[in-house]
Amino acid sequence: MSIFDTRYELARLYILLGEFHIAKAMLERTIEQLTKVTKHQSQPPIILAHLQFQFAELLRQRSSTMKEARTLYQFAIEIIEKVGGDMHLDIAWLREGLGQLQLKNGDYAEAEHNFRLASTIRELWLEPTHLWMNYSRFHLMSLFMQQGRGEDFSIQVQLLVKHNFHTMNHNHPIHKRIMDLCKNKGVMGAPPGVGRNDPCMCGSSKKFKKCCGAKPKPETNENRIQF
C-alpha cells in the first residue's frame, strides 16, 4: 500500500468520525501531490480517481461548492475510463454521485442519464440480487418520486420484489431508505405480483395494505422526507 492509499483510508476514517475539515484538507493535499507526481505518466493511477471521488462525495454531502464537486466527479470518471474503460464498475458510483448533484439542482434529464448508466454498468458485472443493484434502484425511485412518475416508480418496486428484496438485510441503510420511499409512495397501490393482502415486499411481516401500501399521512414539515 502506497502513502497515497494510506491517506485515502485515513481521510475515510476522519469522515466517519465527523472530522470533515481534517478529511477535506488531507484529500486536497493528497490529490495535489499525487497529480504532480503522476503528471507525466501515460495513465494516471486509479487511486487518484478514488481520492477525487471521496472528495466529491464529501463536498456534496456537506453542501459545499457543487461546481467543484461536479468537476471532481468528472475528472475521476475520465481517469477510470482511461485505466479500465467506460464500463468499469467503479464508474457506477461516480455516475450516481454526479446524478445526485444534478437531481438536487433539478437537472432531471441529466440525473436520469447518469442513474441509468450506473444501473447498466452494474447489470454487466453483478447479479440482479446483489446489494449494489439496490443503490441503482433507489436513486431511480427518488428521481421518479420527485417527478411524480408513478408508473416508472412502480417498475423499480417490481424489480425489488422480483429479486427477493424481502429476504435481504433490512437494517442496511440503503434498504431503510428504500422502505421510507415505498411507504411515502404507498398511495400508488400494490406493485405487480403483490396483492394488498399479501406480505409486504419490504419484509416487515405486515400485510402490504397495512405497510408500504397504506395511504400516506398528510405531508407536514415534521414527516416530509428530505433527500
Side-chain angles (χ1 to χ4, degrees):
M1 180 181 287
S2 72
I3 185 63
F4 300 112
D5 292 286
T6 302
R7 289 180 183 174
Y8 168 72
E9 295 298 336
L10 274 174
R12 294 182 64 188
L13 177 59
Y14 280 126
I15 291 171
L16 289 173
L17 293 173
E19 300 287 352
F20 301 112
H21 292 296
I22 298 175
K24 182 175 183 291
M26 179 172 287
L27 287 166
E28 282 181 314
R29 184 170 64 253
T30 305
I31 289 170
E32 181 181 357
Q33 291 174 345
L34 186 56
T35 301
K36 288 180 180 178
V37 169
T38 61
K39 66 179 179 181
H40 297 302
Q41 293 183 9
S42 58
Q43 286 188 341
I46 203 165
I47 185 60
L48 179 56
H50 292 170
L51 286 161
Q52 290 172 328
F53 169 66
Q54 194 66 61
F55 194 16
E57 288 283 285
L58 177 61
L59 292 176
R60 177 178 62 80
Q61 293 168 12
R62 300 297 296 172
S63 298
S64 298
T65 308
M66 294 297 103
K67 184 177 180 180
E68 184 179 2
R70 181 191 296 258
T71 300
L72 285 163
Y73 282 125
Q74 291 171 333
F75 280 163
I77 289 171
E78 290 174 8
I79 288 171
I80 295 179
E81 285 179 342
K82 287 179 181 178
V83 175
D86 59 2
M87 301 304 282
H88 192 286
L89 188 55
D90 285 352
I91 291 178
W93 297 106
L94 292 161
R95 289 287 181 189
E96 283 179 347
L98 191 54
Q100 288 178 79
L101 272 183
Q102 292 159 342
L103 183 59
K104 187 173 183 178
N105 292 332
D107 301 327
Y108 297 125
E110 292 183 21
E112 182 171 357
H113 172 72
N114 278 302
F115 290 155
R116 289 197 181 278
L117 271 177
S119 181
T120 298
I121 291 169
R122 288 200 176 115
E123 287 171 0
L124 287 175
W125 294 93
L126 305 173
E127 294 294 326
T129 54
H130 195 286
L131 170 67
W132 290 356
M133 291 302 304
N134 289 339
Y135 282 87
S136 296
R137 291 162 190 150
F138 168 76
H139 291 305
L140 284 168
M141 289 166 71
S142 299
L143 170 68
F144 299 148
M145 186 174 180
Q146 288 196 29
Q147 291 184 292
R149 293 164 58 180
E151 184 176 347
D152 289 326
F153 186 98
S154 290
I155 289 171
Q156 296 304 314
V157 175
Q158 183 181 2
L159 288 171
L160 289 168
V161 175
K162 179 180 179 181
H163 298 302
N164 301 318
F165 181 72
H166 64 284
T167 66
M168 297 181 184
N169 174 18
H170 287 86
N171 290 320
H172 192 282
I174 193 63
H175 292 163
K176 289 182 178 180
R177 296 176 75 183
I178 286 172
M179 287 189 285
D180 283 343
L181 274 181
C182 290
K183 289 174 183 176
N184 198 57
K185 200 65 175 175
V187 69
M188 292 166 49
V194 179
R196 287 187 55 74
N197 289 311
D198 290 339
C200 189
M201 59 88 188
C202 76
S204 66
S205 77
K206 298 178 182 179
K207 291 183 178 181
F208 178 81
K209 66 182 181 182
K210 297 289 187 180
C211 190
C212 293
K215 291 184 179 180
K217 296 179 181 179
E219 189 176 76
T220 66
N221 289 335
E222 287 73 27
N223 65 20
R224 185 180 292 114
I225 292 179
Q226 300 293 333
F227 297 100

